[in-house]
């Protein structure tokens, strides 16, 4: 099965501190991976995808095939980063996404 | 542009009753998805439509769940009869097509089965 694992359900850091949200996936060919975010009272929305290799809102994520990981990182956390974060992968040959359990990130002032 | 619309936003029913959810995707989006998100878990795909045809319903409990997308636009998801374990948020999403297009999510319908 093509699984996505987010080992931390909760993560709390102080404003200005670095943030790393972990995501591991079960190896299967060439994965296509994403990070989705859900802010309080807002819809689930795409944050970034690995093929774009972009930085969104200061967040970056690098695909590490050796470690089968796609961790989300930000060097200096801001209070507005508090949200629920989901790692997801697209199933090969299909359009559907498989999501991890999610990590609730809280940024303390 | 207007986003994905869903109704109702909240629904409380007793077990063994039936319920239906409605979704209106973004105009022009050919692909529509229904996800189930149980508390504490990530969304799980129930069914995917491409226009009005079903692409994937492998995780849809077909003995009690049904979905349709008549005319390839709006969609309805029905549960009959509901069980306690169906309590969840039901998310609808749409994308322009298959093959890497971004999925846009609706606000979800929170179902509580008592």
């Amino acid at each position: 099965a093509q699984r996505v694992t987010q080992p931390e359900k909760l993560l709390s850091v102080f404003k200005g501190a670095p943030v790393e949200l972990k995501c591991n996936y079960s190896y299967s060919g060439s994965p296509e991976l994403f990070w989705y975010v859900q802010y309080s009272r807002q819809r689930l929305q795409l944050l970034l995808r690995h093929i774009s290799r972009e930085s969104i809102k200061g967040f970056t994520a690098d695909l590490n095939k050796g470690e089968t990981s796609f961790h989300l990182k930000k060097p200096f956390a801001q209070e507005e980063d508090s949200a629920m974060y989901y790692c997801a992968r697209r199933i090969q040959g299909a359009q559907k996404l498989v999501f991890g359990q999610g990590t609730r990130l809280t940024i303390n002032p | 542009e207007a986003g994905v619309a869903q109704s109702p936003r909240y629904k409380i029913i007793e077990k063994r009753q039936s319920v239906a959810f409605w979704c209106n995707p973004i105009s022009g989006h050919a692909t529509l998805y229904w996800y189930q998100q149980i508390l504490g878990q990530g969304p799980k795909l129930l069914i995917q439509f491409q226009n009005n045809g079903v692409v994937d319903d492998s995780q849809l409990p077909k003995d009690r769940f049904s979905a349709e997308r008549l005319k390839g636009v709006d969609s309805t998801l029905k549960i009959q009869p509901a069980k306690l374990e169906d309590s969840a948020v039901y998310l609808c999403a749409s994308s322009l097509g298959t093959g890497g297009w971004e999925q846009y999510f609706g606000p979800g319908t929170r179902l509580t089965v008592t």
Side-chain angles (χ1 to χ4, degrees):
Chain A
Q2 299 189 38
R3 289 196 179 88
V4 175
T5 303
Q6 293 180 251
E8 303 146 325
K9 281 205 158 184
L10 302 170
L11 182 63
S12 183
V13 302
F14 284 102
K15 177 182 172 182
V19 173
E20 182 179 67
L21 292 94
K22 292 183 167 52
C23 173
N24 291 91
Y25 62 93
S26 56
Y27 180 75
S28 177
S30 299
E32 191 176 350
L33 289 151
F34 307 81
W35 277 99
Y36 277 78
V37 62
Q38 187 166 26
Y39 301 102
S40 180
R41 296 190 182 88
Q42 294 188 28
R43 303 170 184 217
L44 191 62
Q45 58 186 286
L46 178 66
L47 179 62
L48 54 79
R49 63 184 81 189
H50 90 272
I51 58 174
S52 301
R53 303 184 67 82
E54 57 198 345
S55 173
I56 303 293
K57 299 184 178 182
F59 284 97
T60 58
D62 291 320
L63 179 62
N64 185 324
K65 290 188 177 182
E67 296 182 357
T68 61
S69 69
F70 186 56
H71 302 330
L72 184 68
K73 300 177 183 179
K74 184 169 182 176
F76 307 103
Q78 299 172 296
E79 288 185 64
E80 54 264 35
D81 296 329
S82 293
M84 197 74 190
Y85 290 80
Y86 294 94
C87 183
R89 71 176 294 176
R90 192 187 309 281
I91 299 300
Q92 272 191 297
Q95 181 70 357
K96 75 178 186 183
L97 297 173
V98 172
F99 286 84
Q101 287 191 313
T103 298
R104 181 171 297 283
L105 175 65
T106 302
I107 307 302
N108 300 304
Chain B
E1 62 181 7
V4 176
Q6 289 187 247
S7 68
R9 294 295 311 278
Y10 305 92
K11 190 74 178 179
I12 301 173
I13 61 172
E14 294 181 352
K15 59 184 179 185
R16 291 187 289 274
Q17 286 187 323
S18 62
V19 64
F21 312 127
W22 174 82
C23 173
N24 181 240
I26 292 173
S27 177
H29 280 197
T31 310
L32 185 147
Y33 316 79
W34 283 102
Y35 289 87
Q36 180 192 56
Q37 186 173 19
I38 293 172
L39 187 65
Q41 299 181 20
K44 181 185 81 173
L45 182 73
L46 292 176
I47 189 167
Q48 175 187 339
F49 292 94
Q50 177 71 15
N51 296 309
N52 59 353
V54 175
V55 174
D56 185 337
D57 63 357
S58 57
Q59 297 193 91
L60 186 75
K62 298 179 186 66
D63 57 334
R64 297 184 301 104
F65 285 64
S66 65
E68 60 182 11
R69 191 184 183 197
L70 300 175
K71 301 180 183 178
V73 181
D74 294 4
S75 177
T76 54
L77 176 69
K78 296 179 182 177
I79 308 175
Q80 182 180 12
K83 293 185 175 181
L84 295 176
E85 58 261 36
D86 298 332
S87 294
V89 175
Y90 290 85
L91 295 167
C92 180
S94 69
S95 64
L96 270 171
T98 58
W101 293 105
E102 179 178 345
Q103 294 185 25
Y104 293 85
F105 285 81
T109 296
R110 183 178 296 278
L111 174 67
T112 302
V113 182
T114 63

